[in-house]
Amino acid sequence: GERAAALAGIGDLPAVGATVDSLIAAKDTAAPWVDIVALVGAKDAEAASALTDRLVAWAALTPSYRGRLLLQDAERLTRIDAARGLARVHAVESVAAGTDQVAEAQMFLARRRLLEVDHLDSLRVIAGEIAGMEEGAGAMMPMAQRLAQVARKVAATADSLTPEVPQGDLRLFLAGELARDSLGAPRLAALQFRRIMDEWPASPFAPKALLALLDLQPLDADSLQARMRATYTASPYLIATDGGDSPQLGELEDSLRRFVANYQAGRSNAPRGTPAQRRPSQPNRPSTPTTEPQF
């Protein structure tokens, strides 16, 4: 097994294949198969996928182990072929039935849906589904609970906001931060940042939202940068982006930090803890981000 891993690490895939043949013939289930496949995948994703097929069909490995291999392959494949990657995830339910890997597969699918979600109603549905899997989530239960809580918090924070709502711009910025950093929902985050620009254009945080949007929607960079320079020439955030120094920047960041620390979207949705520091050299992100764990 160590020899196969070493050969995979240097990219000698034909030699890896021969070594794998001997390991399977010897029924060596103790070989570091997850590591071997990962090293093969670093060189050739298709070769790793083919090796995964062989190992998943090998009954000597436990259902849990085969589920791990499928999930590992899903992570690789979704970068090049989303459909094939998702098919791997769905296969876990039959190959690894009754193991923790089924809950891990369900979490994988939930995260994929969060990548695409762009509406608060859809987010609430996903939050409900994640909450529904908590009882059977096994080792994944703490993560499922946190993810469902953050999803509900984003929906509660961004819901029913209009320019007449006090600090609505800050609420949307918080929702965007949570969606981007804790949920891994970039489309939903971009929607919140764009709403600040469109509905609160005079907000001192609108330029910050615009800079955040630049990270999320690089294809719109030209139009966003043009809007930034046409509308917010005196903004401390633009000055900082251009390498200048503006004393107002610290004041704005302090204001946002206090809001994040004190905001409550209803009793059950109050952010907890003290926000962690972010580098002030990133003006598109607050120096005190959301309080939820990242996934």
Side-chain angles (χ1 to χ4, degrees):
E2 292 176 358
R3 173 179 169 78
L7 291 168
I10 63 174
D12 190 348
L13 300 188
V16 172
T19 307
V20 166
D21 288 341
S22 65
L23 289 169
I24 292 177
K27 298 183 179 180
D28 189 347
T29 58
W33 291 112
V34 168
D35 295 334
I36 293 168
V37 177
L39 288 166
V40 171
K43 305 294 182 181
D44 187 332
E46 292 295 341
S49 192
L51 178 54
T52 298
D53 283 334
R54 287 193 66 188
L55 295 173
V56 169
W58 186 25
L61 292 178
T62 66
S64 177
Y65 204 103
R66 285 182 280 165
R68 288 177 60 194
L69 290 166
L70 283 171
L71 287 168
Q72 181 190 65
D73 201 42
E75 291 280 1
R76 263 189 311 270
L77 284 177
T78 48
R79 303 185 193 115
I80 57 176
D81 188 333
R84 287 175 62 196
L86 291 176
R88 287 295 208 211
V89 180
H90 289 298
V92 173
E93 293 188 1
S94 57
V95 170
T99 72
D100 285 346
Q101 278 60 52
V102 173
E104 191 174 344
Q106 292 172 345
M107 188 64 70
F108 184 103
L109 294 173
R111 289 200 194 98
R112 293 294 303 178
R113 292 185 63 190
L114 287 169
L115 277 174
E116 304 297 328
V117 68
D118 59 3
H119 196 280
L120 293 178
D121 288 341
S122 300
L123 179 63
R124 291 187 184 92
V125 171
I126 296 173
E129 293 174 353
I130 295 172
M133 66 173 279
E134 289 178 7
E135 185 174 346
M140 299 297 292
M141 185 172 68
M143 182 176 290
Q145 289 174 333
R146 290 195 298 270
L147 196 59
Q149 288 169 359
V150 176
R152 292 191 183 106
K153 184 176 292 184
V154 170
T157 302
D159 192 32
S160 303
L161 292 182
T162 67
E164 291 74 31
V165 175
Q167 296 185 307
D169 55 339
L170 293 178
R171 284 180 59 176
L172 278 181
F173 201 94
L174 174 58
E177 284 272 303
L178 282 167
R180 180 187 64 191
D181 298 336
S182 295
L183 286 183
R187 293 188 178 184
L188 191 68
L191 178 63
Q192 313 316 312
F193 294 134
R194 191 172 287 277
R195 283 188 63 194
I196 297 171
M197 294 163 44
D198 294 341
E199 299 177 35
W200 285 265
S203 166
F205 298 101
K208 187 178 180 73
L210 194 155
L211 289 170
L213 197 60
L214 272 169
D215 284 343
L216 293 168
Q217 297 182 334
L219 294 179
D220 294 336
D222 289 343
S223 62
L224 290 171
Q225 289 173 353
R227 181 171 178 177
M228 183 74 164
R229 299 194 176 278
T231 310
Y232 303 111
T233 55
S235 169
Y237 291 105
L238 179 57
I239 293 171
T241 299
D242 289 340
D245 185 23
S246 173
Q248 287 77 32
L249 181 62
E251 296 175 7
L252 288 173
E253 291 294 281
D254 285 344
S255 175
L256 184 59
R257 181 162 42 245
R258 287 192 298 271
F259 176 82
V260 171
N262 297 325
Y263 173 75
Q264 292 187 354
R267 293 180 182 176
S268 63
N269 296 300
R272 294 169 294 176
T274 301
Q277 290 289 331
R278 270 208 185 118
R279 291 178 297 172
S281 60
Q282 296 177 291
N284 62 313
R285 297 171 180 258
S287 56
T288 53
T290 63
T291 59
E292 296 299 331
Q294 297 184 16
F295 297 94

